Amino acid sequence: MDAVRLIVTSRRALAGGGEAPQVMAEVWQAQALAQAIGSRLAVAGPPELRGEALGLTELAGRGCGVLERPDIALAELRAAQLTELGDARQALLYLGGLLGEVGIALVGLACAADDETTYWQCMEAIDAADESRDRVLQMLRRLADRVEGLPEAG
């Protein structure tokens, strides 16, 4: 499945809310998807994005690492369903939106947390999602710079 379709699926699932464990599972899924997209871009994306994409892979991996891995079957793991990136710019635009929504969802979870462990887990995941989003925005700027630097056809 292409990246944008998976991101849209993740955004819908995250917006669907639910209890804290379901939201945490969706946050984990989003971070795993960001990690997979970053990995694909690092290997096969535009050359000027590869360094930033590798950084995204590491940051999103940290986002997954601070959360407990949900009990998700491999067939339901969206990151494992990623077969193509499609247009890198479009995928990054959607991914940036998803990561922003992840941060908002985590703030809600942190505010409602009954225990310190959950609170700090959310805070670390917010930091990872924010840094991942910053990396995505940097890649979008690099793509825009590349387009602006192209000579006009004529």
Side-chain angles (χ1 to χ4, degrees):
M1 194 178 301
D2 77 346
V4 171
R5 282 184 55 195
L6 290 168
I7 293 166
V8 168
T9 300
S10 284
R11 288 177 88 168
R12 286 183 183 142
L14 187 62
E19 298 296 317
Q22 290 87 14
V23 174
M24 290 291 261
E26 289 306 326
V27 165
W28 190 93
Q29 284 257 41
Q31 287 286 21
L33 184 56
Q35 185 178 26
I37 291 169
S39 180
R40 288 281 176 107
L41 284 169
V43 172
E48 63 270 22
L49 298 186
R50 292 185 181 164
E52 296 292 333
L54 186 58
L56 172 61
T57 301
E58 293 170 4
L59 290 166
R62 191 182 90 204
C64 287
V66 299
L67 301 171
E68 289 182 30
R69 186 187 187 285
D71 186 22
I72 299 173
L74 186 58
E76 296 174 13
L77 182 60
R78 290 186 202 104
Q81 297 172 25
L82 180 64
T83 57
E84 63 180 279
L85 286 175
D87 177 55
R89 182 181 177 281
Q90 186 178 24
L92 289 169
L93 283 169
Y94 277 76
L95 183 59
L98 173 62
L99 291 168
E101 291 168 11
V102 161
I104 292 167
L106 285 165
V107 167
L109 288 174
C111 290
D114 291 334
D115 60 282
E116 245 185 83
T117 302
T118 302
Y119 173 81
W120 286 112
Q121 192 177 37
C122 288
M123 297 311 282
E124 288 181 40
I126 290 167
D127 187 43
D130 187 48
E131 288 181 36
S132 294
R133 186 168 185 271
D134 287 346
R135 198 60 62 118
V136 166
L137 294 174
Q138 180 63 32
M139 286 189 280
L140 285 167
R141 282 190 287 275
R142 286 186 188 268
L143 284 176
D145 290 346
R146 178 178 76 163
V147 170
E148 289 174 8
L150 293 175
E152 290 186 33

